PDB file of all heavy atoms in Angstrom:
ATOM      1  N   HIS X   1     185.218  35.188 -37.561  1.00 90.00           N
ATOM      2  CA  HIS X   1     185.536  36.407 -38.473  1.00 90.00           C
ATOM      3  C   HIS X   1     186.427  35.893 -39.584  1.00 90.00           C
ATOM      4  O   HIS X   1     186.192  36.220 -40.776  1.00 90.00           O
ATOM      5  CB  HIS X   1     186.193  37.538 -37.689  1.00 90.00           C
ATOM      6  CG  HIS X   1     186.658  38.541 -38.625  1.00 90.00           C
ATOM      7  ND1 HIS X   1     185.854  39.602 -39.034  1.00 90.00           N
ATOM      8  CD2 HIS X   1     187.837  38.873 -39.185  1.00 90.00           C
ATOM      9  CE1 HIS X   1     186.550  40.495 -39.781  1.00 90.00           C
ATOM     10  NE2 HIS X   1     187.750  40.008 -39.939  1.00 90.00           N
ATOM     11  N   ASN X   2     187.490  35.128 -39.213  1.00 93.00           N
ATOM     12  CA  ASN X   2     188.425  34.710 -40.335  1.00 93.00           C
ATOM     13  C   ASN X   2     187.829  33.700 -41.277  1.00 93.00           C
ATOM     14  O   ASN X   2     188.076  33.646 -42.485  1.00 93.00           O
ATOM     15  CB  ASN X   2     189.638  34.087 -39.641  1.00 93.00           C
ATOM     16  CG  ASN X   2     190.571  35.139 -39.068  1.00 93.00           C
ATOM     17  OD1 ASN X   2     190.414  36.298 -39.194  1.00 93.00           O
ATOM     18  ND2 ASN X   2     191.616  34.711 -38.342  1.00 93.00           N
ATOM     19  N   TRP X   3     186.889  32.948 -40.785  1.00 91.00           N
ATOM     20  CA  TRP X   3     186.133  31.931 -41.595  1.00 91.00           C
ATOM     21  C   TRP X   3     185.359  32.650 -42.602  1.00 91.00           C
ATOM     22  O   TRP X   3     185.416  32.287 -43.808  1.00 91.00           O
ATOM     23  CB  TRP X   3     185.220  31.133 -40.698  1.00 91.00           C
ATOM     24  CG  TRP X   3     184.292  30.094 -41.346  1.00 91.00           C
ATOM     25  CD1 TRP X   3     183.251  30.297 -42.121  1.00 91.00           C
ATOM     26  CD2 TRP X   3     184.553  28.663 -41.297  1.00 91.00           C
ATOM     27  NE1 TRP X   3     182.723  29.119 -42.562  1.00 91.00           N
ATOM     28  CE2 TRP X   3     183.458  28.120 -42.093  1.00 91.00           C
ATOM     29  CE3 TRP X   3     185.512  27.848 -40.747  1.00 91.00           C
ATOM     30  CZ2 TRP X   3     183.335  26.736 -42.261  1.00 91.00           C
ATOM     31  CZ3 TRP X   3     185.336  26.532 -40.890  1.00 91.00           C
ATOM     32  CH2 TRP X   3     184.268  25.925 -41.730  1.00 91.00           C
ATOM     33  N   LEU X   4     184.611  33.703 -42.243  1.00 92.00           N
ATOM     34  CA  LEU X   4     183.748  34.509 -43.167  1.00 92.00           C
ATOM     35  C   LEU X   4     184.703  35.273 -44.128  1.00 92.00           C
ATOM     36  O   LEU X   4     184.392  35.338 -45.341  1.00 92.00           O
ATOM     37  CB  LEU X   4     182.858  35.430 -42.406  1.00 92.00           C
ATOM     38  CG  LEU X   4     182.016  36.340 -43.288  1.00 92.00           C
ATOM     39  CD1 LEU X   4     181.111  35.445 -44.074  1.00 92.00           C
ATOM     40  CD2 LEU X   4     181.171  37.277 -42.417  1.00 92.00           C
ATOM     41  N   GLU X   5     185.812  35.917 -43.661  1.00 95.00           N
ATOM     42  CA  GLU X   5     186.682  36.630 -44.565  1.00 95.00           C
ATOM     43  C   GLU X   5     187.311  35.725 -45.615  1.00 95.00           C
ATOM     44  O   GLU X   5     187.279  36.090 -46.838  1.00 95.00           O
ATOM     45  CB  GLU X   5     187.797  37.281 -43.682  1.00 95.00           C
ATOM     46  CG  GLU X   5     188.751  38.094 -44.560  1.00 95.00           C
ATOM     47  CD  GLU X   5     189.810  38.724 -43.725  1.00 95.00           C
ATOM     48  OE1 GLU X   5     189.796  38.743 -42.510  1.00 95.00           O
ATOM     49  OE2 GLU X   5     190.830  39.205 -44.349  1.00 95.00           O
ATOM     50  N   LEU X   6     187.740  34.511 -45.216  1.00 96.00           N
ATOM     51  CA  LEU X   6     188.367  33.665 -46.196  1.00 96.00           C
ATOM     52  C   LEU X   6     187.411  33.201 -47.233  1.00 96.00           C
ATOM     53  O   LEU X   6     187.653  33.282 -48.470  1.00 96.00           O
ATOM     54  CB  LEU X   6     188.852  32.367 -45.412  1.00 96.00           C
ATOM     55  CG  LEU X   6     189.442  31.247 -46.279  1.00 96.00           C
ATOM     56  CD1 LEU X   6     190.770  31.663 -46.954  1.00 96.00           C
ATOM     57  CD2 LEU X   6     189.749  29.965 -45.470  1.00 96.00           C
ATOM     58  N   ARG X   7     186.141  32.775 -46.864  1.00 93.00           N
ATOM     59  CA  ARG X   7     185.186  32.328 -47.837  1.00 93.00           C
ATOM     60  C   ARG X   7     184.704  33.451 -48.732  1.00 93.00           C
ATOM     61  O   ARG X   7     184.426  33.219 -49.907  1.00 93.00           O
ATOM     62  CB  ARG X   7     184.035  31.600 -47.065  1.00 93.00           C
ATOM     63  CG  ARG X   7     184.516  30.386 -46.313  1.00 93.00           C
ATOM     64  CD  ARG X   7     183.383  29.829 -45.442  1.00 93.00           C
ATOM     65  NE  ARG X   7     182.405  29.220 -46.289  1.00 93.00           N
ATOM     66  CZ  ARG X   7     181.097  29.209 -46.003  1.00 93.00           C
ATOM     67  NH1 ARG X   7     180.639  29.774 -44.959  1.00 93.00           N
ATOM     68  NH2 ARG X   7     180.308  28.530 -46.777  1.00 93.00           N
ATOM     69  N   THR X   8     184.662  34.663 -48.238  1.00 91.00           N
ATOM     70  CA  THR X   8     184.163  35.769 -49.077  1.00 91.00           C
ATOM     71  C   THR X   8     185.182  36.113 -50.102  1.00 91.00           C
ATOM     72  O   THR X   8     184.788  36.296 -51.297  1.00 91.00           O
ATOM     73  CB  THR X   8     183.871  37.017 -48.102  1.00 91.00           C
ATOM     74  OG1 THR X   8     182.829  36.610 -47.143  1.00 91.00           O
ATOM     75  CG2 THR X   8     183.427  38.172 -48.937  1.00 91.00           C
ATOM     76  N   PHE X   9     186.451  36.290 -49.782  1.00 94.00           N
ATOM     77  CA  PHE X   9     187.387  36.723 -50.835  1.00 94.00           C
ATOM     78  C   PHE X   9     187.702  35.589 -51.764  1.00 94.00           C
ATOM     79  O   PHE X   9     188.022  35.815 -52.884  1.00 94.00           O
ATOM     80  CB  PHE X   9     188.655  37.433 -50.246  1.00 94.00           C
ATOM     81  CG  PHE X   9     189.658  36.545 -49.549  1.00 94.00           C
ATOM     82  CD1 PHE X   9     190.325  35.480 -50.218  1.00 94.00           C
ATOM     83  CD2 PHE X   9     189.993  36.707 -48.193  1.00 94.00           C
ATOM     84  CE1 PHE X   9     191.338  34.662 -49.527  1.00 94.00           C
ATOM     85  CE2 PHE X   9     190.889  35.937 -47.525  1.00 94.00           C
ATOM     86  CZ  PHE X   9     191.590  34.966 -48.274  1.00 94.00           C
ATOM     87  N   MET X  10     187.580  34.378 -51.366  1.00 95.00           N
ATOM     88  CA  MET X  10     187.765  33.250 -52.273  1.00 95.00           C
ATOM     89  C   MET X  10     186.581  33.299 -53.291  1.00 95.00           C
ATOM     90  O   MET X  10     186.809  33.061 -54.521  1.00 95.00           O
ATOM     91  CB  MET X  10     187.786  31.887 -51.582  1.00 95.00           C
ATOM     92  CG  MET X  10     189.082  31.606 -50.764  1.00 95.00           C
ATOM     93  SD  MET X  10     190.475  31.488 -51.963  1.00 95.00           S
ATOM     94  CE  MET X  10     190.179  29.900 -52.719  1.00 95.00           C
ATOM     95  N   TRP X  11     185.317  33.624 -52.895  1.00 89.00           N
ATOM     96  CA  TRP X  11     184.255  33.709 -53.806  1.00 89.00           C
ATOM     97  C   TRP X  11     184.419  34.834 -54.753  1.00 89.00           C
ATOM     98  O   TRP X  11     184.191  34.732 -55.929  1.00 89.00           O
ATOM     99  CB  TRP X  11     182.988  33.830 -53.024  1.00 89.00           C
ATOM    100  CG  TRP X  11     181.748  33.959 -53.910  1.00 89.00           C
ATOM    101  CD1 TRP X  11     181.135  35.069 -54.346  1.00 89.00           C
ATOM    102  CD2 TRP X  11     181.014  32.847 -54.485  1.00 89.00           C
ATOM    103  NE1 TRP X  11     180.013  34.778 -55.152  1.00 89.00           N
ATOM    104  CE2 TRP X  11     179.991  33.423 -55.289  1.00 89.00           C
ATOM    105  CE3 TRP X  11     181.174  31.493 -54.456  1.00 89.00           C
ATOM    106  CZ2 TRP X  11     179.143  32.666 -55.954  1.00 89.00           C
ATOM    107  CZ3 TRP X  11     180.278  30.713 -55.228  1.00 89.00           C
ATOM    108  CH2 TRP X  11     179.215  31.262 -55.913  1.00 89.00           C
ATOM    109  N   ASP X  12     184.849  35.959 -54.265  1.00 87.00           N
ATOM    110  CA  ASP X  12     185.031  37.174 -55.035  1.00 87.00           C
ATOM    111  C   ASP X  12     186.225  37.159 -56.040  1.00 87.00           C
ATOM    112  O   ASP X  12     186.129  37.645 -57.140  1.00 87.00           O
ATOM    113  CB  ASP X  12     185.186  38.451 -54.144  1.00 87.00           C
ATOM    114  CG  ASP X  12     183.899  38.795 -53.392  1.00 87.00           C
ATOM    115  OD1 ASP X  12     182.853  38.351 -53.856  1.00 87.00           O
ATOM    116  OD2 ASP X  12     183.982  39.492 -52.347  1.00 87.00           O
ATOM    117  N   TYR X  13     187.297  36.581 -55.671  1.00 93.00           N
ATOM    118  CA  TYR X  13     188.588  36.615 -56.345  1.00 93.00           C
ATOM    119  C   TYR X  13     188.974  35.276 -57.005  1.00 93.00           C
ATOM    120  O   TYR X  13     189.772  35.335 -57.982  1.00 93.00           O
ATOM    121  CB  TYR X  13     189.739  37.071 -55.474  1.00 93.00           C
ATOM    122  CG  TYR X  13     189.558  38.485 -54.883  1.00 93.00           C
ATOM    123  CD1 TYR X  13     190.096  38.785 -53.667  1.00 93.00           C
ATOM    124  CD2 TYR X  13     188.829  39.426 -55.518  1.00 93.00           C
ATOM    125  CE1 TYR X  13     190.003  40.035 -53.076  1.00 93.00           C
ATOM    126  CE2 TYR X  13     188.638  40.752 -54.977  1.00 93.00           C
ATOM    127  CZ  TYR X  13     189.233  41.003 -53.784  1.00 93.00           C
ATOM    128  OH  TYR X  13     189.054  42.254 -53.221  1.00 93.00           O
ATOM    129  N   VAL X  14     188.489  34.178 -56.608  1.00 96.00           N
ATOM    130  CA  VAL X  14     188.979  32.875 -57.110  1.00 96.00           C
ATOM    131  C   VAL X  14     187.693  32.053 -57.555  1.00 96.00           C
ATOM    132  O   VAL X  14     187.685  30.825 -57.316  1.00 96.00           O
ATOM    133  CB  VAL X  14     189.771  32.179 -56.026  1.00 96.00           C
ATOM    134  CG1 VAL X  14     190.634  31.083 -56.721  1.00 96.00           C
ATOM    135  CG2 VAL X  14     190.640  33.115 -55.284  1.00 96.00           C
ATOM    136  N   GLY X  15     186.788  32.679 -58.112  1.00 92.00           N
ATOM    137  CA  GLY X  15     185.478  32.002 -58.404  1.00 92.00           C
ATOM    138  C   GLY X  15     185.465  31.468 -59.855  1.00 92.00           C
ATOM    139  O   GLY X  15     186.409  30.985 -60.343  1.00 92.00           O
ATOM    140  N   ILE X  16     184.264  31.680 -60.543  1.00 93.00           N
ATOM    141  CA  ILE X  16     184.015  31.035 -61.818  1.00 93.00           C
ATOM    142  C   ILE X  16     184.894  31.663 -62.894  1.00 93.00           C
ATOM    143  O   ILE X  16     185.433  30.993 -63.780  1.00 93.00           O
ATOM    144  CB  ILE X  16     182.617  31.122 -62.153  1.00 93.00           C
ATOM    145  CG1 ILE X  16     181.750  30.294 -61.131  1.00 93.00           C
ATOM    146  CG2 ILE X  16     182.269  30.634 -63.551  1.00 93.00           C
ATOM    147  CD1 ILE X  16     180.243  30.471 -61.270  1.00 93.00           C
ATOM    148  N   VAL X  17     185.084  33.027 -62.846  1.00 91.00           N
ATOM    149  CA  VAL X  17     185.859  33.730 -63.772  1.00 91.00           C
ATOM    150  C   VAL X  17     186.980  34.460 -62.974  1.00 91.00           C
ATOM    151  O   VAL X  17     186.688  35.161 -61.999  1.00 91.00           O
ATOM    152  CB  VAL X  17     185.057  34.792 -64.566  1.00 91.00           C
ATOM    153  CG1 VAL X  17     185.936  35.599 -65.526  1.00 91.00           C
ATOM    154  CG2 VAL X  17     183.971  34.068 -65.341  1.00 91.00           C
ATOM    155  N   ARG X  18     188.289  34.236 -63.408  1.00 93.00           N
ATOM    156  CA  ARG X  18     189.374  34.706 -62.642  1.00 93.00           C
ATOM    157  C   ARG X  18     190.218  35.666 -63.437  1.00 93.00           C
ATOM    158  O   ARG X  18     190.173  35.751 -64.680  1.00 93.00           O
ATOM    159  CB  ARG X  18     190.237  33.545 -62.154  1.00 93.00           C
ATOM    160  CG  ARG X  18     189.470  32.544 -61.338  1.00 93.00           C
ATOM    161  CD  ARG X  18     190.172  31.205 -61.179  1.00 93.00           C
ATOM    162  NE  ARG X  18     189.407  30.346 -60.286  1.00 93.00           N
ATOM    163  CZ  ARG X  18     189.707  29.065 -60.127  1.00 93.00           C
ATOM    164  NH1 ARG X  18     190.713  28.471 -60.790  1.00 93.00           N
ATOM    165  NH2 ARG X  18     188.979  28.323 -59.293  1.00 93.00           N
ATOM    166  N   THR X  19     191.094  36.498 -62.743  1.00 94.00           N
ATOM    167  CA  THR X  19     192.097  37.316 -63.350  1.00 94.00           C
ATOM    168  C   THR X  19     193.367  37.160 -62.536  1.00 94.00           C
ATOM    169  O   THR X  19     193.284  36.775 -61.278  1.00 94.00           O
ATOM    170  CB  THR X  19     191.736  38.756 -63.440  1.00 94.00           C
ATOM    171  OG1 THR X  19     191.695  39.360 -62.143  1.00 94.00           O
ATOM    172  CG2 THR X  19     190.436  38.958 -64.183  1.00 94.00           C
ATOM    173  N   THR X  20     194.508  37.473 -63.097  1.00 97.00           N
ATOM    174  CA  THR X  20     195.709  37.408 -62.345  1.00 97.00           C
ATOM    175  C   THR X  20     195.744  38.404 -61.110  1.00 97.00           C
ATOM    176  O   THR X  20     196.152  38.074 -60.040  1.00 97.00           O
ATOM    177  CB  THR X  20     196.955  37.740 -63.212  1.00 97.00           C
ATOM    178  OG1 THR X  20     196.992  36.758 -64.286  1.00 97.00           O
ATOM    179  CG2 THR X  20     198.299  37.623 -62.443  1.00 97.00           C
ATOM    180  N   LYS X  21     195.227  39.556 -61.314  1.00 97.00           N
ATOM    181  CA  LYS X  21     195.157  40.572 -60.221  1.00 97.00           C
ATOM    182  C   LYS X  21     194.273  40.155 -59.095  1.00 97.00           C
ATOM    183  O   LYS X  21     194.659  40.231 -57.929  1.00 97.00           O
ATOM    184  CB  LYS X  21     194.587  41.972 -60.808  1.00 97.00           C
ATOM    185  CG  LYS X  21     194.629  43.030 -59.825  1.00 97.00           C
ATOM    186  CD  LYS X  21     194.327  44.360 -60.424  1.00 97.00           C
ATOM    187  CE  LYS X  21     195.379  44.893 -61.271  1.00 97.00           C
ATOM    188  NZ  LYS X  21     195.156  46.296 -61.775  1.00 97.00           N
ATOM    189  N   ARG X  22     193.131  39.473 -59.451  1.00 94.00           N
ATOM    190  CA  ARG X  22     192.229  39.005 -58.378  1.00 94.00           C
ATOM    191  C   ARG X  22     192.956  37.809 -57.640  1.00 94.00           C
ATOM    192  O   ARG X  22     192.874  37.755 -56.405  1.00 94.00           O
ATOM    193  CB  ARG X  22     190.916  38.420 -59.021  1.00 94.00           C
ATOM    194  CG  ARG X  22     190.027  39.491 -59.528  1.00 94.00           C
ATOM    195  CD  ARG X  22     188.799  38.861 -60.208  1.00 94.00           C
ATOM    196  NE  ARG X  22     188.066  39.776 -60.975  1.00 94.00           N
ATOM    197  CZ  ARG X  22     187.069  39.425 -61.886  1.00 94.00           C
ATOM    198  NH1 ARG X  22     186.761  38.163 -62.012  1.00 94.00           N
ATOM    199  NH2 ARG X  22     186.441  40.364 -62.528  1.00 94.00           N
ATOM    200  N   LEU X  23     193.566  36.953 -58.359  1.00 98.00           N
ATOM    201  CA  LEU X  23     194.308  35.896 -57.710  1.00 98.00           C
ATOM    202  C   LEU X  23     195.470  36.366 -56.777  1.00 98.00           C
ATOM    203  O   LEU X  23     195.669  35.859 -55.730  1.00 98.00           O
ATOM    204  CB  LEU X  23     194.870  34.906 -58.758  1.00 98.00           C
ATOM    205  CG  LEU X  23     193.868  34.168 -59.593  1.00 98.00           C
ATOM    206  CD1 LEU X  23     194.503  33.330 -60.680  1.00 98.00           C
ATOM    207  CD2 LEU X  23     193.078  33.156 -58.676  1.00 98.00           C
ATOM    208  N   GLU X  24     196.206  37.432 -57.278  1.00 98.00           N
ATOM    209  CA  GLU X  24     197.245  37.969 -56.388  1.00 98.00           C
ATOM    210  C   GLU X  24     196.681  38.576 -55.167  1.00 98.00           C
ATOM    211  O   GLU X  24     197.249  38.501 -54.091  1.00 98.00           O
ATOM    212  CB  GLU X  24     198.042  38.928 -57.235  1.00 98.00           C
ATOM    213  CG  GLU X  24     198.903  38.266 -58.308  1.00 98.00           C
ATOM    214  CD  GLU X  24     199.601  39.260 -59.263  1.00 98.00           C
ATOM    215  OE1 GLU X  24     199.156  40.439 -59.213  1.00 98.00           O
ATOM    216  OE2 GLU X  24     200.532  38.826 -59.982  1.00 98.00           O
ATOM    217  N   ARG X  25     195.504  39.275 -55.290  1.00 97.00           N
ATOM    218  CA  ARG X  25     194.853  39.838 -54.132  1.00 97.00           C
ATOM    219  C   ARG X  25     194.498  38.751 -53.106  1.00 97.00           C
ATOM    220  O   ARG X  25     194.643  38.791 -51.868  1.00 97.00           O
ATOM    221  CB  ARG X  25     193.612  40.621 -54.528  1.00 97.00           C
ATOM    222  CG  ARG X  25     193.914  41.879 -55.190  1.00 97.00           C
ATOM    223  CD  ARG X  25     192.647  42.554 -55.686  1.00 97.00           C
ATOM    224  NE  ARG X  25     192.919  43.880 -56.269  1.00 97.00           N
ATOM    225  CZ  ARG X  25     192.045  44.493 -57.109  1.00 97.00           C
ATOM    226  NH1 ARG X  25     190.879  43.923 -57.418  1.00 97.00           N
ATOM    227  NH2 ARG X  25     192.373  45.700 -57.642  1.00 97.00           N
ATOM    228  N   ALA X  26     193.919  37.673 -53.709  1.00 97.00           N
ATOM    229  CA  ALA X  26     193.555  36.560 -52.811  1.00 97.00           C
ATOM    230  C   ALA X  26     194.797  35.898 -52.148  1.00 97.00           C
ATOM    231  O   ALA X  26     194.734  35.568 -50.979  1.00 97.00           O
ATOM    232  CB  ALA X  26     192.886  35.441 -53.648  1.00 97.00           C
ATOM    233  N   GLN X  27     195.872  35.761 -52.851  1.00 98.00           N
ATOM    234  CA  GLN X  27     197.149  35.183 -52.331  1.00 98.00           C
ATOM    235  C   GLN X  27     197.624  35.962 -51.137  1.00 98.00           C
ATOM    236  O   GLN X  27     197.971  35.386 -50.080  1.00 98.00           O
ATOM    237  CB  GLN X  27     198.198  35.036 -53.405  1.00 98.00           C
ATOM    238  CG  GLN X  27     199.451  34.384 -52.953  1.00 98.00           C
ATOM    239  CD  GLN X  27     200.410  34.173 -54.068  1.00 98.00           C
ATOM    240  OE1 GLN X  27     200.701  35.066 -54.842  1.00 98.00           O
ATOM    241  NE2 GLN X  27     200.993  32.964 -54.190  1.00 98.00           N
ATOM    242  N   HIS X  28     197.590  37.319 -51.278  1.00 97.00           N
ATOM    243  CA  HIS X  28     198.099  38.176 -50.193  1.00 97.00           C
ATOM    244  C   HIS X  28     197.201  37.932 -48.988  1.00 97.00           C
ATOM    245  O   HIS X  28     197.747  37.848 -47.851  1.00 97.00           O
ATOM    246  CB  HIS X  28     197.967  39.678 -50.674  1.00 97.00           C
ATOM    247  CG  HIS X  28     198.328  40.678 -49.623  1.00 97.00           C
ATOM    248  ND1 HIS X  28     199.624  40.717 -49.039  1.00 97.00           N
ATOM    249  CD2 HIS X  28     197.637  41.594 -48.972  1.00 97.00           C
ATOM    250  CE1 HIS X  28     199.687  41.638 -48.146  1.00 97.00           C
ATOM    251  NE2 HIS X  28     198.463  42.192 -48.023  1.00 97.00           N
ATOM    252  N   ARG X  29     195.864  37.884 -49.127  1.00 97.00           N
ATOM    253  CA  ARG X  29     194.946  37.681 -47.997  1.00 97.00           C
ATOM    254  C   ARG X  29     195.152  36.287 -47.402  1.00 97.00           C
ATOM    255  O   ARG X  29     195.080  36.160 -46.180  1.00 97.00           O
ATOM    256  CB  ARG X  29     193.538  38.015 -48.386  1.00 97.00           C
ATOM    257  CG  ARG X  29     193.293  39.428 -48.560  1.00 97.00           C
ATOM    258  CD  ARG X  29     192.069  39.809 -49.429  1.00 97.00           C
ATOM    259  NE  ARG X  29     191.719  41.178 -49.497  1.00 97.00           N
ATOM    260  CZ  ARG X  29     192.419  42.113 -50.139  1.00 97.00           C
ATOM    261  NH1 ARG X  29     193.423  41.675 -50.904  1.00 97.00           N
ATOM    262  NH2 ARG X  29     192.084  43.372 -50.169  1.00 97.00           N
ATOM    263  N   VAL X  30     195.318  35.317 -48.143  1.00 97.00           N
ATOM    264  CA  VAL X  30     195.560  33.963 -47.683  1.00 97.00           C
ATOM    265  C   VAL X  30     196.847  33.978 -46.795  1.00 97.00           C
ATOM    266  O   VAL X  30     196.795  33.301 -45.675  1.00 97.00           O
ATOM    267  CB  VAL X  30     195.722  32.945 -48.822  1.00 97.00           C
ATOM    268  CG1 VAL X  30     196.245  31.633 -48.375  1.00 97.00           C
ATOM    269  CG2 VAL X  30     194.383  32.697 -49.531  1.00 97.00           C
TER     270      VAL X  30
END
């Protein structure tokens, strides 16, 4: 479950096009 969750939010929030808000969301989940 954690493997899938990590890879999914990294794709959604830290992908080809980024924003500060997306990166902060990813940081919290990490």
Side-chain angles (χ1 to χ4, degrees):
H1 175 85
N2 286 353
W3 179 284
L4 180 60
E5 182 181 347
L6 175 67
R7 297 173 72 212
T8 300
F9 72 66
M10 286 295 290
W11 180 263
D12 290 340
Y13 298 150
V14 200
I16 296 172
V17 178
R18 300 163 177 172
T19 68
T20 300
K21 185 173 288 186
R22 291 176 192 168
L23 292 172
E24 288 172 345
R25 286 172 178 164
Q27 186 176 45
H28 177 65
R29 283 159 175 77
V30 166

